[in-house]
Amino acid sequence: MRGAGAPGGQGQHSGKMGTLGHPRLILLTYLLVALELTCLFMRFSIMPYLTRWLGLDSVAFGYLQTAFGVLQLLGGPVFGRLRCPAAVALVANLVAAVLSFTCIPISTKGVSTHAQAAPPGGAQASVFDLKAISRLLLRPGVLPVFLVKVVSGFPSGLFTVMFSIISMDFFQLDAAQAGYLMSFFGVLQMVIQGLVIGRLSSHFSEGALLRTSVLGFIVVGLAMAPMSSVFHFCLLMPGLVFSLCALNVVTDSMLTKAVSASDTGTMLGLCASVQPLTRTLGPTVGGLLYRSFGVPVFGHMQFATNVLVLLALWRQPLAQKPDKVW
């Protein structure tokens, strides 16, 4: 919040926003995210076939995915020199980083009368400041929403990180067919998150959308247990993508509304840490579960976990904060 404290800073912030309006900023952000996900899916598509060529089983593949989760912040510059897709991903992410630093303002969030004030004289919270993180999680209404985000999405996260090996072993797909399936997944995500979730959020409350996403996980998990073919999975994919998108969008919105404007960046960092956490723990756990129980275990876990989450939500509805003014 560089411009919040001094008139000169506010003028600088306003001037930068004048050169890149909100519609163009949203479009640029959307393109950067699409670019990043495209590169990520490139890696997802090629990795299981490379590991099979190297003679690794599903558990070893899980260990490899765990190592990626731990080293993902450092791996690009090092491993980007070794395979063509990795090199393309590295260059594309460098371009995205330059665009982010040069075109996106430091903050687009203004001061709201509803927003909670930052501690007097306190500096903006650091992502690595454990005291600041604990303070945010202990704010009213924050910890329950964060736990729902982590617990409800973890089973589908396990399935997602293991999906590349499942598509090769269980669905018997080659590299090109797996790429088509991942493309279908990406298109569904763009359509549902870009069009469906936005329209639903204007007609229904965040609490209702959150319960709907959890209910969707339950239905998809129940239908996933007897899954036997890739066609069966394609029928389930829209429900799974809708639940994932609704869960992420709604919980991120609720969590950022529950903190002050100066703490929004730290809260978004916490929200973004859920996926790396899943990618760190998920592959090892998922590989062991897949080898021991097969694909149905992911459906059973998703069903049982989200039934418990839904019961908790109905028993104690989550408090919602008013919107902040942009």
Side-chain angles (χ1 to χ4, degrees), residues 95-146:
V95 173
V98 172
L99 290 175
S100 299
F101 279 112
T102 57
C103 298
I104 296 181
I106 293 178
S107 176
T108 59
K109 189 178 292 293
V111 179
S112 168
T113 56
H114 298 295
Q116 303 174 25
Q124 185 174 355
S126 169
V127 176
F128 301 100
D129 189 344
L130 295 181
K131 290 184 178 180
I133 293 174
S134 300
R135 175 177 59 82
L136 292 182
L137 290 177
L138 293 178
R139 284 187 180 276
V142 171
L143 186 58
V145 178
F146 190 78

Side-chain angles (χ1 to χ4, degrees), residues 61-105:
F61 175 77
Y63 294 151
L64 185 62
Q65 290 285 80
T66 298
F68 169 78
V70 175
L71 299 175
Q72 62 180 347
L73 295 178
L74 303 175
V78 177
F79 299 112
R81 299 175 300 170
L82 305 178
R83 281 181 316 280
C84 180
V88 173
L90 173 62
V91 173
N93 277 278
L94 288 176
V95 173
V98 172
L99 290 175
S100 299
F101 279 112
T102 57
C103 298
I104 296 181

Side-chain angles (χ1 to χ4, degrees), residues 206-244:
E206 292 177 335
L209 288 178
L210 184 59
R211 289 190 292 269
T212 302
S213 69
V214 175
L215 182 61
F217 280 131
I218 294 174
V219 175
V220 172
L222 188 63
M224 187 185 294
M227 183 172 61
S228 59
S229 67
V230 67
F231 177 74
H232 187 173
F233 176 70
C234 288
L235 294 178
L236 298 178
M237 194 179 292
L240 178 62
V241 173
F242 170 80
S243 297
L244 282 171

Side-chain angles (χ1 to χ4, degrees), residues 12-275:
Q12 181 181 2
H13 175 268
S14 301
K16 193 165 187 180
M17 284 301 298
T19 60
L20 189 67
H22 277 298
R24 293 179 60 192
L25 175 61
I26 294 174
L27 177 61
L28 176 60
T29 304
Y30 188 81
L31 291 176
L32 291 177
V33 173
L35 178 62
E36 179 184 0
L37 290 178
T38 299
C39 297
L40 189 62
F41 283 130
M42 289 170 62
R43 189 197 69 83
F44 286 163
S45 300
I46 197 175
M47 188 61 69
Y49 299 92
L50 178 62
T51 55
R52 176 55 54 86
W53 181 73
L54 293 174
L56 302 180
D57 59 10
S58 59
V59 177
F61 175 77
Y63 294 151
L64 185 62
Q65 290 285 80
T66 298
F68 169 78
V70 175
L71 299 175
Q72 62 180 347
L73 295 178
L74 303 175
V78 177
F79 299 112
R81 299 175 300 170
L82 305 178
R83 281 181 316 280
C84 180
V88 173
L90 173 62
V91 173
N93 277 278
L94 288 176
V95 173
V98 172
L99 290 175
S100 299
F101 279 112
T102 57
C103 298
I104 296 181
I106 293 178
S107 176
T108 59
K109 189 178 292 293
V111 179
S112 168
T113 56
H114 298 295
Q116 303 174 25
Q124 185 174 355
S126 169
V127 176
F128 301 100
D129 189 344
L130 295 181
K131 290 184 178 180
I133 293 174
S134 300
R135 175 177 59 82
L136 292 182
L137 290 177
L138 293 178
R139 284 187 180 276
V142 171
L143 186 58
V145 178
F146 190 78
L147 290 178
V148 169
K149 181 181 183 68
V150 174
V151 175
S152 182
F154 187 72
S156 59
L158 286 181
F159 178 79
T160 301
V161 298
M162 292 301 299
F163 178 72
S164 53
I165 200 72
I166 290 174
S167 64
M168 183 173 58
D169 282 350
F170 186 73
F171 294 140
Q172 298 293 313
L173 302 180
D174 58 27
Q177 293 171 331
Y180 295 146
L181 192 59
M182 297 295 283
S183 298
F184 177 52
F185 182 87
V187 170
L188 274 179
Q189 187 173 5
M190 287 191 297
V191 171
I192 291 177
Q193 186 161 325
L195 300 178
V196 178
I197 302 298
R199 294 185 178 182
L200 290 178
S201 62
S202 63
H203 294 87
F204 301 96
S205 67
E206 292 177 335
L209 288 178
L210 184 59
R211 289 190 292 269
T212 302
S213 69
V214 175
L215 182 61
F217 280 131
I218 294 174
V219 175
V220 172
L222 188 63
M224 187 185 294
M227 183 172 61
S228 59
S229 67
V230 67
F231 177 74
H232 187 173
F233 176 70
C234 288
L235 294 178
L236 298 178
M237 194 179 292
L240 178 62
V241 173
F242 170 80
S243 297
L244 282 171
C245 292
L247 176 72
N248 291 328
V249 170
V250 171
T251 53
D252 286 359
S253 176
M254 296 177 71
L255 288 171
T256 53
K257 289 176 183 176
V259 300
S260 64
S262 61
D263 288 327
T264 299
T266 304
M267 180 56 70
L268 287 175
L270 284 176
C271 294
S273 68
V274 174
Q275 184 179 9

